[in-house]
Amino acid sequence: MHPILLVATRLWPDDHDGRLPSDFLSMSNELGTPKILICPSDHMRQAATNWASFGPENCSYEIVTSELQMTDTNSVFLRCRIHGYRGFVEDRLIDASGRLVKPNRLW
């Protein structure tokens, strides 16, 4: 997953009562561009050029559990549809086999 996506996930709750967003469009200010929502290995989808043209067809990732509290550290927030990587609220990234890809720290 793109580092900016993970950082934005950490920034969002500061202004929203400690809750994560229910969709990527809500995070547009933190993400900057929808282009980062395409996994580099995803050759089936095309990145949206702006937020007005963004939709599920322009996204390799999905929000698994919306509006999580930052204290829900055992709940998966994001998942890569290509690799099956799962992103947790406290910044862990686990691959499809359950191996820790990125420990609990910012990039």
Side-chain angles (χ1 to χ4, degrees), residues 6-80:
L6 298 175
V7 170
T9 299
R10 301 281 298 168
L11 293 174
W12 171 268
D14 291 344
D15 295 329
H16 299 90
D17 297 321
R19 290 201 176 277
L20 291 165
S22 58
D23 58 59
F24 292 111
L25 192 55
S26 298
M27 294 174 49
S28 61
N29 286 341
E30 289 79 10
L31 294 172
T33 177
K35 293 178 183 179
I36 65 168
L37 296 174
I38 295 289
C39 175
S41 298
D42 189 347
H43 303 292
M44 299 297 291
R45 293 176 183 83
Q46 187 171 4
T49 56
N50 56 52
W51 289 107
S53 64
F54 175 75
E57 67 279 1
N58 308 109
C59 190
S60 303
Y61 308 107
E62 65 181 333
I63 293 178
V64 176
T65 312
S66 64
E67 299 186 21
L68 282 174
Q69 286 279 354
M70 284 302 291
T71 55
D72 294 335
T73 58
N74 291 322
S75 297
V76 175
F77 176 59
L78 298 170
R79 187 178 77 83
C80 175

Side-chain angles (χ1 to χ4, degrees), residues 1-10 78 87 91 93 102 107:
M1 287 186 199
H2 197 285
I4 292 175
L5 177 56
L6 298 175
V7 170
T9 299
R10 301 281 298 168
L78 298 170
D91 209 25
L93 187 59
K102 181 184 159 318
W107 287 83

